[in-house]
Amino acid sequence: MNGRVAAVRLVDVSRTFREGSHSVVHAVKNVNLEFGRGTLTLVMGPSGSGKTTLLSLVGGLLAPSEGDIEVDSVRLASLSPAALTEFRLRRVGFIYQRFRLLDALSASENIELPLTLAGVSRPKSRQRAVALAARVGLDDRLGARARSLSGGEQQRVAIARALANDPPVLLADEPTGSLDSVAGQRIIELLHGAATEGASVVVATHDERLVPFADMVVRMEDGRVVDVARG
Ligand code: ADP
Ligand code: MG
């Protein structure tokens, strides 16, 4: 597999939001980008510049107002609602800014959730959760309720959950934002590792410490891409 093959392509993508009855917010404006297989891309820019909206578009959580998004040459707009759900479940891992774990479930149950939804049976999903927990350094916390975990531990559960189905597209929204530098370093190593194994990894961040790990750095302002630097 060619490491530079574009797995994700955005063609003139815009997304607007209606604010009240009169004004419209242009969250993402005329964006053209390609994210290669096996690469780590950072999307950087001030708060409100469109980073989260861009990730949500790539992950099929939001539809563009204009333009096209293609993943492995499939236009997301051409997918039926059921096929789009399958796409999100099997092809995309999403690490949300505030983790979005299910508080009442254990760490293991959170990690197993996408596997269960994908039809993987219990002993197998448990096995996979154990392996993923080891990978993110959470082995001893698998049985703990999500709500009792520290911020750094919750973040690692969120990453393990995002990796559960081995998704070719991994999206992370400010994953090191609330973490100290040691925990942050660990997270970026995990994301970088996923890219090394062939995923297209896209990370929205303010954290300049991540720049040395990136193959591409996209800078956004007011919904537009204002600079693309390749490492
Ligand atoms: P960032 O992640 O870079 O902080 P966002 O993508 O969250 O930026 O937001 C970009 C712009 O779009 C902001 O002006 C924000 O207020 C607006 N926006 C984002 N999501 C919505 C929404 N669901 N409804 C209305 N406006 C939104
Ligand atoms: Mg954001």
Side-chain angles (χ1 to χ4, degrees):
M1 217 184 283
N2 184 330
R4 294 286 168 178
V5 173
V8 180
R9 179 175 286 134
L10 289 88
V11 184
D12 225 11
V13 169
S14 298
R15 170 69 201 208
T16 54
F17 292 106
R18 210 170 282 284
E19 273 220 326
S21 49
H22 300 297
S23 67
V24 168
V25 180
H26 294 266
V28 165
K29 264 187 233 169
N30 302 108
V31 168
N32 291 282
L33 284 173
E34 292 185 354
F35 305 123
R37 266 190 205 101
T39 65
L40 177 72
T41 300
L42 299 184
V43 179
M44 308 192 81
S47 186
S49 58
K51 304 181 297 296
T52 296
T53 304
L54 188 76
L55 291 193
S56 305
L57 288 163
V58 172
L61 301 173
L62 276 179
S65 311
E66 283 174 56
D68 266 320
I69 298 166
E70 294 172 13
V71 178
D72 291 334
S73 305
V74 175
R75 288 175 58 232
L76 296 191
S78 73
L79 299 177
S80 67
L84 191 61
T85 301
E86 278 290 294
F87 164 78
R88 286 193 298 248
L89 184 59
R90 294 177 190 275
R91 315 279 298 157
V92 181
F94 209 120
I95 300 156
Y96 298 95
Q97 190 168 4
R98 273 175 283 279
F99 321 140
R100 297 203 207 171
L101 301 181
L102 297 175
D103 272 351
L105 299 186
S106 68
S108 183
E109 287 163 340
N110 270 281
I111 297 169
E112 288 176 67
L113 196 61
L115 295 162
T116 307
L117 291 172
V120 176
S121 65
R122 189 65 214 283
K124 254 195 162 165
S125 67
R126 174 72 191 179
Q127 240 173 27
R128 176 104 177 111
V130 169
L132 286 160
R135 186 159 152 199
V136 302
L138 266 179
D139 332 50
D140 51 338
R141 302 293 280 149
L142 266 180
R145 300 276 145 221
R147 72 163 83 84
S148 70
L149 300 172
S150 73
E153 287 170 340
Q154 290 188 13
Q155 183 66 301
R156 280 181 278 161
V157 172
I159 292 178
R161 181 180 61 181
L163 292 170
N165 281 324
D166 223 350
V169 179
L170 185 61
L171 307 170
D173 198 356
E174 312 218 8
T176 62
S178 58
L179 302 179
D180 64 43
S181 59
V182 174
Q185 183 69 25
R186 179 83 201 242
I187 301 300
I188 194 64
E189 281 165 10
L190 287 164
L191 296 171
H192 187 253
T196 305
E197 284 168 21
S200 306
V201 183
V202 186
V203 182
T205 188
H206 290 286
D207 192 342
E208 295 284 342
R209 291 173 305 175
L210 306 194
V211 170
F213 295 90
D215 299 291
M216 184 162 90
V217 178
V218 174
R219 304 225 177 229
M220 296 186 74
E221 272 172 33
D222 292 332
R224 290 185 189 280
V225 171
V226 293
D227 188 56
V228 177
R230 287 182 176 79

